[in-house]
């Protein structure tokens, strides 16, 4: 089974709709992240969380909100989707123990806003 | 200003040859980390290699090595003996400092094409 899962994998929605993207992890990591990927721009950080009580904005948080329901779950919401939020969205966890620093990414959610 | 710069939008390499993907970075932190990720056409992000700013040796992971030149602020990825399965997008990334959320900044990527 995958360590970081995302649902849905693909979603097409209309402008103005509320959308929730979900992320679950079985790795036991405290830190979780949401990124979006647009062609030619690499990945950009939307929100990140150190633990259930700690939520932080990334570089492009406008138009998004998150919820850390448990250590293993981190959801991203688009309250009122707009076409320029069409992108590939990645959830990730981070392992920084024992001198290592590795991010583990989910498979991605491809979101299209019409 | 760009924190991570990958100047090669696309690269071609012959199968079995080595290839170097360029990455330069900009930071005033003394402690930082550098990463390379691979993204095949299927879309997933695959961690390849990590180099800490205080690591004296260049990182290696199998056919991947990171040519870390701290004074030049470069962290080039070297893939030896290229395989057809190496065709993918490659992203260089940097984590600044140890506090502040371990935020990672990604470059725009280099698309590698391996020719048979």
């Amino acid at each position: 089974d995958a360590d970081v899962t995302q649902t849905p994998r693909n979603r097409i929605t209309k402008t103005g709709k509320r959308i929730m993207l979900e992320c679950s992890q079985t790795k036991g990591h405290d830190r979780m992240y949401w990124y979006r990927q647009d062609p030619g721009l690499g990945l950009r950080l939307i929100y990140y969380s150190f633990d259930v009580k700690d939520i932080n904005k990334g570089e492009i948080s406008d138009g998004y909100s998150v919820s850390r329901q448990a250590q293993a779950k981190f959801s991203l919401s688009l309250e009122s989707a707009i076409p320029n939020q069409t992108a590939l969205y990645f959830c990730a966890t981070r392992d920084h123990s024992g001198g290592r620093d590795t991010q583990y990414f989910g498979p991605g959610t491809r979101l299209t806003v019409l | 200003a760009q924190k991570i710069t990958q100047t090669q939008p696309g690269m071609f390499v012959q199968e079995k040859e080595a290839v170097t993907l360029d990455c330069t970075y900009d930071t005033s932190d003394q402690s930082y980390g550098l990463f390379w990720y691979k993204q095949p056409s299927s879309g997933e992000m695959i961690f390849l290699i990590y180099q800490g700013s205080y690591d004296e040796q260049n990182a290696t992971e199998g056919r991947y090595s990171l040519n870390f030149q701290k004074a030049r602020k470069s962290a080039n990825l070297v893939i030896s003996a290229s395989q057809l399965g190496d065709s993918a997008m490659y992203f260089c990334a940097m984590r600044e400092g140890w506090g502040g959320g371990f935020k990672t900044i990604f470059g725009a990527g280099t698309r590698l094409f391996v020719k048979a």
Side-chain angles (χ1 to χ4, degrees), chain A residues 31 33 37 50 90 94 101, chain B residues 35 39 43 95 101-102 104:
Chain A
R31 287 175 165 79
Y33 302 77
Q37 183 180 23
F50 283 177
F90 285 102
R94 193 173 211 123
D101 187 357
Chain B
F35 307 80
Q39 187 178 40
R95 178 214 73 232
F102 290 71
T104 305

Side-chain angles (χ1 to χ4, degrees), chain B residues 43-103:
Chain B
E44 71 265 34
M45 294 289 288
I46 302 168
F47 166 77
L48 295 178
I49 197 166
Y50 166 75
Q51 178 89 39
S53 59
Y54 293 119
D55 294 340
E56 295 183 354
Q57 302 279 345
N58 285 344
T60 60
E61 293 281 351
R63 294 186 300 113
Y64 304 107
S65 60
L66 197 153
N67 185 1
F68 181 44
Q69 298 189 39
K70 197 169 184 176
R72 297 179 59 188
K73 294 187 176 179
S74 74
N76 298 339
L77 177 71
V78 180
I79 305 174
S80 63
S82 297
Q83 301 172 356
L84 295 177
D86 294 335
S87 293
M89 279 290 285
Y90 289 81
F91 292 97
C92 179
M94 175 177 66
R95 178 214 73 232
E96 291 184 288
W98 277 106
F102 290 71
K103 289 180 288 186

Side-chain angles (χ1 to χ4, degrees), chain B residues 26-54:
Chain B
D26 182 27
T27 182
S28 56
D29 283 359
Q30 296 300 309
S31 177
Y32 53 90
L34 298 156
F35 307 80
W36 279 91
Y37 290 87
K38 173 184 178 182
Q39 187 178 40
S41 57
S42 52
E44 71 265 34
M45 294 289 288
I46 302 168
F47 166 77
L48 295 178
I49 197 166
Y50 166 75
Q51 178 89 39
S53 59
Y54 293 119

Side-chain angles (χ1 to χ4, degrees), chain A residues 10-104:
Chain A
N10 290 282
R11 182 73 183 267
I12 300 173
T13 191
K14 295 182 178 179
T15 297
K17 293 291 187 181
R18 184 177 188 274
I19 296 296
M20 179 180 287
L21 309 183
E22 300 191 12
C23 176
S24 294
Q25 55 122 343
T26 59
K27 301 192 77 67
H29 296 156
D30 290 329
R31 287 175 165 79
M32 297 186 73
Y33 302 77
W34 275 104
Y35 293 92
R36 67 176 277 175
Q37 183 180 23
D38 298 278
L41 293 178
L43 274 69
R44 292 182 292 166
L45 182 64
I46 306 172
Y47 270 94
Y48 61 102
S49 169
F50 283 177
D51 61 34
V52 174
K53 299 178 182 178
D54 189 321
I55 305 289
N56 303 277
K57 292 183 177 181
E59 61 181 308
I60 54 164
S61 58
D62 288 349
Y64 301 93
S65 62
V66 290
S67 173
R68 185 82 183 266
Q69 302 96 321
Q71 186 200 42
K73 296 183 181 297
F74 193 35
S75 301
L76 176 72
S77 293
L78 288 68
E79 296 301 325
S80 179
I82 56 177
N84 76 0
Q85 291 177 312
T86 293
L88 183 59
Y89 290 84
F90 285 102
C91 175
T93 71
R94 193 173 211 123
D95 178 11
H96 56 96
S97 61
R100 293 182 300 176
D101 187 357
T102 305
Q103 280 193 296
Y104 298 89

